[in-house]
């Protein structure tokens, strides 16, 4: 899953600055529904990272049953935090 593709699918644009607040809210809701229905671990993780970047990701203990997935999510969170410090 490519980030641009996810933005087009859920928000109608691959330019985050062009997304209206209403479209953002509707897209996040749609993404959360798809996240809850998704069975593929990789796709599920991709949706979670998108939701995380938008400040709407479910808590790790709710989002991932597998500890390996939770650890990958923690690593992603650490990388994002390190990028913000630069």
């Amino acid at each position: 899953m490519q980030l641009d593709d996810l933005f087009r699918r859920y928000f109608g644009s691959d330019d985050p600055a062009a997304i209206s607040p209403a479209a953002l809210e509707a897209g996040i809701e749609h993404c959360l529904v798809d996240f809850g229905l998704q069975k593929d671990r990789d796709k599920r993780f991709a949706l979670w990272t998108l939701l995380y970047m938008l400040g709407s990701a479910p808590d790790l203990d709710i989002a991932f049953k597998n500890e390996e997935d939770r650890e990958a999510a923690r690593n992603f969170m650490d990388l994002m935090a390190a990028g913000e410090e630069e």
Side-chain angles (χ1 to χ4, degrees), residues 3 11 24-25 29 34-35 43 49 55 61 68-69 75:
L3 185 58
F11 307 105
L24 182 63
E25 185 177 332
E29 186 173 325
D34 284 355
F35 176 79
K43 290 179 181 178
T49 60
D61 57 335
E68 192 175 291
D69 293 340
N75 289 338

Side-chain angles (χ1 to χ4, degrees), residues 2 6 16 22 33 38-40 44 68 80:
Q2 298 290 328
L6 290 173
V33 170
Q38 185 58 251
K39 301 295 182 201
D40 181 275
R44 189 171 168 83
E68 192 175 291
M80 292 294 293

Side-chain angles (χ1 to χ4, degrees), residues 53-68:
M53 290 187 291
L54 297 171
S56 298
D59 291 335
L60 297 182
D61 57 335
I62 294 168
F64 302 110
K65 295 176 185 174
N66 185 311
E67 178 57 34
E68 192 175 291

Side-chain angles (χ1 to χ4, degrees), residues 1-50:
M1 296 180 124
Q2 298 290 328
L3 185 58
D4 290 347
D5 293 337
L6 290 173
F7 268 98
R8 277 190 294 276
R9 176 180 179 153
Y10 292 105
F11 307 105
S13 174
D14 58 3
D15 178 9
I19 301 169
S20 72
L24 182 63
E25 185 177 332
I28 288 172
E29 186 173 325
H30 182 194
C31 191
L32 283 165
V33 170
D34 284 355
F35 176 79
L37 296 173
Q38 185 58 251
K39 301 295 182 201
D40 181 275
R41 284 176 63 194
D42 294 336
K43 290 179 181 178
R44 189 171 168 83
F45 189 81
L47 291 173
W48 182 88
T49 60
L50 175 61

